[in-house]
Amino acid sequence: MNWWQKLTKNPLARFGALLLLTFYLIVIAADVVAPYDPYVSQPDGSLLPPTKIYWRNQQTKEFIGPHVYPTTQGPTDLETGDRKLIVDWQKPSPVGLFVPGREYKLFGAIPFNRHLFGTVGEGKINLLGTDEQARDQFSRLVYGGRISLSIGLVGIAISFPLGLIIGGISGYFGGWVDGIIMRLVEVLMTIPGIYLLVALAAVLPPGLTSAQRFLLIVLITSFISWSGLARVIRGQVLSIKEREFVQAAKTMGANPFYIIVRHVLPQTASYVIISATLAVPGFIVAESVLSLIGLGIQQPDPSWGNLLSLATNASIIVLQPWLIWPPALLIILTVLAFNLLGDGLRDALDPRSLQR
């Protein structure tokens, strides 16, 4: 049984892979999936609860299919603190699929204005309600996933090649080269990651854009995450460099760096694939923590971390819980899915299991 067959027969790994595939497809197609612009506020629509979908006209009781009604926030009750909703029962707005809405560029080039779902009329469908700025929370969650899900992929694209090359050089050459590199690795491994992130993010210039902050967060997390991989790769290279095919390449006069890249590092591929899968959640959590405490991606740009930052407001936790649970649940599910997929890959690529 090869590793692919073993992986596909693992139900937890399949679940993790399917969940990740779904999330990435949704955020890639965010322009289509999100019904509204994540930056645009709705008139008098601050902190609206999730929209209720009706099937019968609430005045005539006639069945007219799924529809919603225009809803705005009314005045606050001074005695109870409750905010009353004003619903216009005279204007039912049908809910449909692929309805026209705001225009965007499909594939970055083709003007298009169809969205996966939406309404026809004045009513808005806010599946997860609206935030304090009256912006659709579902649309912000979908667009925010672009940052939160891509930061892990960009992070391993930077840190893993660095860890592979440095670990390979250290293990292959040995001697004083190995001694210097390993001392540097040990120093980096003693640095507590989250505290370094907080300290460095706190001294960033206040005028940085979210794109610049995104890049700096990735660079900082990559800087402190490659050392563990380099240490493990170094240990594997120490044993791989003594094998016959490596000695044969040396005898034929191959360049040491060619031997490392062409013959030695490919032998560590299974470990690297597993480690990469398990490392992505760390980058996602780091971005979420920094954004949660106000040092990461800043408003109005959405990310799962800064959407979760509303949890610092106790009144929102109590009165508007729909703003807190979706981003928290998505972060938990994404981390869980990567871990399940990583565990499945580890079992599937285990040399002992491949021999069965």
Side-chain angles (χ1 to χ4, degrees):
M1 183 184 298
N2 62 36
W3 70 270
W4 177 253
Q5 291 174 324
K6 188 172 181 61
L7 180 65
T8 54
K9 288 188 176 182
N10 185 326
L12 292 178
R14 286 205 313 268
F15 171 75
L18 182 61
L19 195 59
L20 290 175
L21 179 63
T22 302
F23 284 171
Y24 277 100
L25 287 177
I26 287 175
V27 300
I28 289 172
D31 291 321
V32 178
V33 175
Y36 306 112
D37 190 320
Y39 298 97
V40 174
S41 301
Q42 299 177 11
D44 299 320
S46 174
L47 294 177
L48 292 176
T51 303
K52 186 175 181 180
I53 300 176
Y54 299 89
W55 294 82
R56 293 182 177 276
N57 187 301
Q58 294 303 292
Q59 289 190 317
T60 65
K61 302 304 178 183
E62 176 187 359
F63 180 85
I64 58 174
H67 63 282
V68 299
Y69 293 92
T71 304
T72 56
Q73 281 285 7
T76 302
D77 191 316
L78 298 179
E79 294 183 0
T80 64
D82 294 335
R83 303 182 69 184
K84 296 182 179 180
L85 299 179
I86 300 176
V87 182
D88 189 348
W89 301 108
Q90 304 289 334
K91 300 177 180 178
S93 302
V95 176
L97 297 175
F98 299 104
V99 297
R102 67 178 183 86
E103 189 171 291
Y104 55 90
K105 294 295 182 69
L106 188 65
F107 306 118
I110 307 172
F112 203 65
N113 70 343
R114 295 282 173 170
H115 297 266
L116 180 61
F117 65 92
T119 60
V120 179
E122 296 182 17
K124 304 288 186 182
I125 179 168
N126 305 119
L127 290 183
L128 300 176
T130 60
D131 64 8
E132 292 176 308
Q133 304 298 320
R135 298 169 298 201
D136 179 55
Q137 184 74 353
F138 177 79
S139 298
R140 291 183 61 76
L141 203 64
V142 172
Y143 278 93
R146 285 183 166 179
I147 290 178
S148 297
L149 291 177
S150 64
I151 197 167
L153 301 182
V154 176
I156 62 172
I158 295 174
S159 64
F160 270 59
L162 191 62
L164 276 170
I165 296 298
I166 293 177
I169 291 173
S170 178
Y172 184 82
F173 288 103
W176 64 270
V177 174
D178 181 35
I180 292 176
I181 292 177
M182 283 301 103
R183 299 299 79 77
L184 173 62
V185 166
E186 288 166 3
V187 169
L188 287 175
M189 292 183 71
T190 61
I191 299 174
I194 191 61
Y195 298 112
L196 175 65
L197 286 170
V198 171
L200 293 179
V203 299
L204 294 178
L208 293 179
T209 65
S210 285
Q212 292 170 328
R213 282 182 173 270
F214 173 85
L215 181 60
L216 285 172
I217 289 172
V218 171
L219 290 176
I220 293 169
T221 51
S222 300
F223 173 74
I224 62 176
S225 63
W226 66 265
S227 54
L229 176 67
R231 186 167 186 149
V232 175
I233 294 299
R234 175 251 187 189
Q236 293 189 351
V237 171
L238 284 173
S239 62
I240 294 172
K241 72 176 184 179
E242 302 300 330
R243 295 184 184 177
E244 294 81 358
F245 61 89
V246 176
Q247 296 301 320
K250 286 182 180 179
T251 304
M252 295 175 65
N255 182 284
F257 290 100
Y258 174 81
I259 295 175
I260 292 172
V261 175
R262 180 67 179 83
H263 296 292
V264 177
L265 291 183
Q267 299 300 312
T268 66
S270 60
Y271 174 80
V272 172
I273 292 172
I274 296 167
S275 297
T277 307
L278 296 175
V280 171
F283 288 94
I284 295 174
V285 171
E287 181 276 325
S288 300
V289 171
L290 285 175
S291 298
L292 174 62
I293 61 179
L295 299 176
I297 307 301
Q298 299 297 301
Q299 297 282 0
D301 296 305
S303 80
W304 291 350
N306 66 24
L307 290 178
L308 194 58
S309 65
L310 293 173
T312 57
N313 187 328
S315 64
I316 286 182
I317 295 177
V318 175
L319 300 176
Q320 290 88 24
W322 61 82
L323 297 177
I324 305 301
W325 289 111
L329 185 61
L330 285 176
I331 292 172
I332 292 171
L333 287 176
T334 302
V335 172
L336 176 63
F338 271 112
N339 286 329
L340 290 176
L341 180 58
D343 288 341
L345 284 170
R346 181 178 57 198
D347 294 339
L349 294 171
D350 186 347
R352 291 169 296 182
S353 68
L354 293 176
Q355 294 172 0
R356 295 171 188 169

